[in-house]
């Protein structure tokens, strides 16, 4: 969203922008209707606890869709919310463009028909998404993944591990428990317990944990301090820190692709509530959830989901990485090959 707002402002500096987002979007000149942090949740049961905030944000968005006042609507991801905004905009004659539509190849293809009802066009991240949406009559354009643009200055940057409290000859493992409070509360204890097991087998390993936002630092600090595990919290220069990692444990999401594009093989993990997981299993049409594996078309990186997301299994997968330098180098090369895809 930030990059979209920035590019729009360059082309149309005098046109006001309003939307839903956080401080970074506001810094690009967007007047915020609602704070995205209050409504950004993953999972079906998790949505219920945030329903009031989601309803308020939806009402604010619909109220702002005044014909003659709003020239266009750009929807970014967040399908269950944005579909309602898109339909409302279409009913009022306001053109809609969907950037990063929901992963139709992973979920219900019926969503493609819904998008065709309200969207004038869609801009997609993967080439196979363009083909799928066009079959349903959506004017879809493949643009590539914005991560490549964002990471370009660091793709081949020389690692500087000493900036992050690690020596050049040390083995550095990243711990990424998620960027949402609910994800952190579920995953951080598991990742720290796995780190303890990894240290028992590889005593020289050092751990680093990126802080996604300042509001998350306190719970991360508290969790790390209570574990007794030496973990460096990193507040800035995240891509450069990633370049210095040997491997990582990361919750499923964009971070796994970010790591892979920077040459860091991740062990991909995730836990949701049992209701959310059960519903997801009924609806999902794919047998893998990690973006690097999906882009590669094969599960070359381990995925430890739900029951498999345990400290013991995570430590075992990381040991598989670290005990064989040749195997690790091969995985790193396969990660780097995703740039061309």
């Amino acid at each position: 969203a930030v990059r979209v707002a920035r590019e729009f402002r360059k082309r149309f500096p005098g046109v006001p922008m309003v939307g839903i987002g956080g401080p970074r979007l506001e810094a690009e000149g967007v007047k915020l209707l609602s704070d995205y942090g209050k409504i950004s949740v993953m999972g079906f049961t998790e949505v219920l606890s945030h329903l009031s905030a989601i309803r308020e944000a939806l009402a604010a968005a619909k109220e702002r869709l005044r014909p003659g006042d709003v020239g266009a609507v750009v929807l970014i991801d967040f399908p269950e919310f944005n579909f309602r905004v898109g339909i409302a905009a279409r009913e009022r004659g306001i053109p809609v463009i969907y950037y990063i539509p929901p992963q139709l190849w992973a979920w219900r293809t019926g969503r493609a028909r819904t998008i065709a009802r309200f969207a004038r066009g869609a801009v997609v991240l993967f080439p196979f998404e363009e083909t799928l949406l066009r079959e349903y009559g959506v004017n879809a354009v493949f643009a590539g993944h914005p991560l490549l643009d964002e990471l370009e200055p660091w793709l081949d940057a020389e690692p500087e591990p000493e900036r992050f409290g690690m020596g050049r000859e040390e083995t550095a493992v990243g711990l990424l428990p998620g960027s949402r409070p609910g994800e952190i509360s579920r995953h951080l204890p598991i990742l720290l317990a796995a780190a303890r097991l990894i240290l028992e087998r590889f005593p020289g390993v050092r751990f680093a944990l990126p802080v996604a936002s300042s509001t998350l630092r306190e719970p991360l600090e508290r969790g790390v301090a209570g574990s007794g595990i030496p973990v460096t919290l990193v507040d800035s220069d995240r891509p450069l820190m990633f370049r210095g990692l040997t491997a990582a444990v990361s919750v499923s999401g964009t971070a796994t692709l970010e790591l892979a594009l920077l040459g860091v093989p991740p062990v991909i993990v995730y836990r949701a509530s049992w209701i959310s997981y059960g519903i997801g299993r009924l609806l999902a049409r794919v047998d893998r959830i990690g973006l690097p594996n999906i882009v590669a078309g094969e599960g070359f990186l381990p995925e430890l989901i739900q029951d498999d997301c345990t400290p013991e299994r995570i430590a075992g997968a990381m040991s598989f990485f670290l005990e064989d330098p040749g195997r690790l180098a091969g995985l790193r090369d396969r990660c780097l090959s995703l740039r061309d895809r």
Side-chain angles (χ1 to χ4, degrees), residues 104-120:
L104 306 172
W105 38 271
W107 298 96
R108 305 182 297 274
T109 53
R111 284 180 164 184
R113 295 189 185 92
T114 304
I115 292 174
R117 284 175 51 200
F118 64 78
R120 178 170 292 183

Side-chain angles (χ1 to χ4, degrees), residues 138-166:
V138 179
N139 180 25
V141 178
F142 165 58
H145 205 292
L147 264 184
L148 282 173
D149 297 324
E150 294 174 18
L151 297 177
E152 197 278 331
W154 297 279
L155 288 178
D156 299 302
E158 181 66 26
E160 299 179 34
E162 60 276 1
R163 284 181 55 178
F164 308 103
M166 296 173 284

Side-chain angles (χ1 to χ4, degrees), residues 7 12 17 66 74 85 94-95 107 115 117 132 143-144 155 172 175-177 180 208 233 269 293 321 329:
E7 292 301 321
F12 307 98
M17 296 178 285
R66 294 189 286 270
V74 178
V85 176
I94 301 171
W107 298 96
I115 292 174
R117 284 175 51 200
L132 178 58
L155 288 178
L175 302 177
L176 286 81
R180 298 176 175 90
L233 297 184
V269 303
N293 289 335
F321 283 5

